[in-house]
């Protein structure tokens, strides 16, 4: 394939899975011979930046622009971005996590990269309608990349976007890197255990997980890795105490490198109300750790296919979730390359090259 010029536009590299995915994608494209430049809108960096990746900070998000925050300011910010893009002359522009500003950019081969299913994540009808209105304002008539079929379906159904304007491209994963990270010498709290990795926010539904785990009768301990507000952790500890599970459930802090803990687990569990494309499920499979997940919108149903499908459980069926935990406890499922092949860099990166 001929070399192309890829320009990415993102607010910053502070936290968040989308930032991590963008860095991985950009670096893979660079390694495949493409010219890649990332334009950030402010200087906030939490992730490790590949040393040879070109990053240009346009510094258009400041305390002043945040305080003013109106359409005129957005257009002035977009004007600065356009000047930088014209200078770089990209073949493809991908906007990530800054679409409120980049929606004012036209005249480039521009795609908006959507990582979350914010519509199905809405707490109530009023909030949902607000999100739908916002999405219409930003994405109507534009081209999108989304990380799961579930996100595409939500945007078509609720926002009225045209299916042909939305491309599903899964997040790409570097299995060799994840496997190397998993070899770090750490001692998990138990020799044999289930694990849940996720923040202690309500959306992750630890209550659903704990009640199903308790109902399963499993004596295999459960490790909850995460972080959150003190009141969320207190509520979690209170439920563990209520269920009389203090001897079998252990909370540990979120780890910068969670892979050794995931790799050594009997299975990874996910019980969220909503996801975009749950990275942790894919990372577990890449480490040949089986998974159990509720069928939340969106992503799990696209990951747990074929032999994994019996471990995709209806969201509010506690009895079925408990039964799945018991089955996995008795006979953990063997994970094979076919279960994660479509998420590997080698399968995903060519889809960006074809844009």
């Amino acid at each position: 394939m001929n070399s192309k010029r890829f320009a990415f536009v993102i607010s910053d590299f502070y936290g968040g899975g989308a930032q991590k995915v963008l860095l991985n994608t950009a670096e893979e494209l660079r390694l495949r011979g493409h010219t890649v430049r990332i334009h950030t809108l402010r200087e906030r960096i939490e992730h490790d930046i590949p040393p040879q990746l070109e990053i240009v900070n346009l510094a258009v998000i400041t305390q002043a622009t945040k305080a003013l925050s109106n359409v005129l300011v957005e257009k002035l910010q977009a004007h600065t971005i356009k000047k930088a893009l014209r200078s770089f002359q990209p073949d493809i522009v991908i906007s990530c996590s800054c679409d409120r500003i980049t929606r004012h950019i036209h005249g480039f081969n521009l795609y908006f990269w959507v990582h979350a299913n914010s519509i199905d994540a809405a707490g109530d009808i009023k909030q949902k309608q607000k999100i739908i209105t916002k999405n219409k304002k930003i994405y109507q008539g534009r081209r999108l990349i989304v990380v799961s079929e579930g996100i595409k379906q939500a945007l078509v159904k609720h926002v009225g976007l045209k299916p042909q304007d939305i491309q599903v491209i899964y997040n790409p994963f570097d299995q060799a890197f994840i496997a190397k990270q998993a070899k770090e010498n750490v001692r998990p709290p138990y020799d044999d255990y289930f694990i849940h990795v996720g923040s202690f926010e309500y959306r992750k539904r630890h209550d659903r997980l704990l009640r199903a785990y308790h109902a399963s009768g499993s004596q295999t301990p459960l490790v909850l890795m995460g972080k959150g507000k003190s009141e969320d952790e207190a509520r979690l500890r209170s439920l563990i105490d209520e269920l009389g599970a203090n001897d079998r459930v252990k909370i540990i802090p979120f780890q910068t490198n969670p892979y050794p803990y995931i790799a050594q687990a009997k299975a990874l569990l996910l019980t969220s109300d909503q996801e975009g494309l749950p990275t942790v499920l894919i990372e577990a499979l890449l480490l040949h750790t089986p998974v159990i997940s509720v069928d939340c919108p969106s992503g799990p149903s696209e990951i747990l296919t074929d032999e994994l499908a019996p471990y995709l459980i209806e969201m509010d069926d506690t009895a079925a979730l408990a039964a799945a935990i018991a089955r996995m406890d008795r006979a953990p499922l063997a994970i094979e390359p076919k279960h994660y092949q479509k998420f590997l860099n080698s399968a995903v990166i060519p889809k960006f090259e074809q844009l």
Side-chain angles (χ1 to χ4, degrees), residues 270 275-276 278 281 293-305 312:
L270 185 139
E275 296 283 346
L281 287 182
S293 176
V294 296
D295 188 14
C296 66
S298 51
S301 63
E302 299 169 53
I303 299 169
L304 278 74
T305 58
L312 181 69

Side-chain angles (χ1 to χ4, degrees), residues 332-344:
L333 195 66
I335 302 302
E336 302 172 25
K338 66 178 180 178
H339 296 136
Y340 54 73
Q341 205 74 42
K342 63 185 176 183
F343 302 108
L344 296 178

Side-chain angles (χ1 to χ4, degrees), residues 9-26:
V9 184
I10 189 167
S11 294
D12 53 46
F13 286 116
Y14 186 78
Q19 289 85 346
K20 183 179 174 183
V21 169
L22 187 148
L23 285 170
N24 178 36
T25 303

Side-chain angles (χ1 to χ4, degrees), residues 190 192-194 210 212-224 240 243-251 329:
Y190 305 102
D192 192 32
Y193 58 94
F194 293 110
L210 287 166
Y213 170 71
H214 179 67
S216 75
S218 171
Q219 295 304 302
T220 299
L222 171 63
V223 174
L224 307 176
I240 294 169
L243 295 170
N246 284 296
D247 60 333
R248 289 178 294 130
V249 180
K250 189 173 185 65
I251 296 175
D329 199 13

Side-chain angles (χ1 to χ4, degrees), residues 73-122:
V73 170
E74 291 169 5
K75 288 182 176 180
L76 289 171
Q77 292 169 315
H79 178 71
T80 300
I81 299 168
K82 283 189 283 187
K83 282 176 63 178
L85 292 176
R86 278 196 291 266
S87 170
F88 182 59
Q89 295 187 325
D91 297 300
I92 297 140
V93 179
I94 299 175
S95 169
C96 180
S97 303
C98 57
D99 301 345
R100 188 173 51 80
I101 296 171
T102 52
R103 66 183 168 131
H104 301 291
I105 295 176
H106 298 271
F108 292 92
N109 187 18
L110 173 63
Y111 290 83
F112 295 89
W113 198 359
V114 179
H115 288 260
N117 188 346
S118 57
I119 296 169
D120 288 320

Side-chain angles (χ1 to χ4, degrees), residues 263-278:
Q264 296 178 59
K266 176 173 274 188
L268 180 137
L269 315 177
L270 185 139
T271 50
S272 305
D273 275 341
Q274 183 274 329
E275 296 283 346
L277 183 74

Side-chain angles (χ1 to χ4, degrees), residues 163-230:
Q164 61 268 30
D165 290 338
I166 307 174
Q167 292 201 46
V168 177
I169 304 181
Y170 292 131
N171 292 335
F173 289 82
D174 184 343
Q175 187 182 27
F177 173 78
I178 292 172
K180 181 180 177 182
Q181 293 287 96
K183 290 178 181 175
E184 182 184 337
N185 188 21
V186 302
R187 178 75 175 167
Y190 305 102
D191 292 331
D192 192 32
Y193 58 94
F194 293 110
I195 193 168
H196 177 279
V197 180
S199 58
F200 297 145
E201 61 183 305
Y202 182 76
R203 177 175 65 90
K204 296 295 184 180
R205 293 302 300 271
H206 291 81
D207 60 323
R208 176 184 285 145
L209 168 65
L210 287 166
R211 294 189 189 284
Y213 170 71
H214 179 67
S216 75
S218 171
Q219 295 304 302
T220 299
L222 171 63
V223 174
L224 307 176
M225 178 191 290
K227 60 182 178 180
K229 297 176 181 176
S230 57

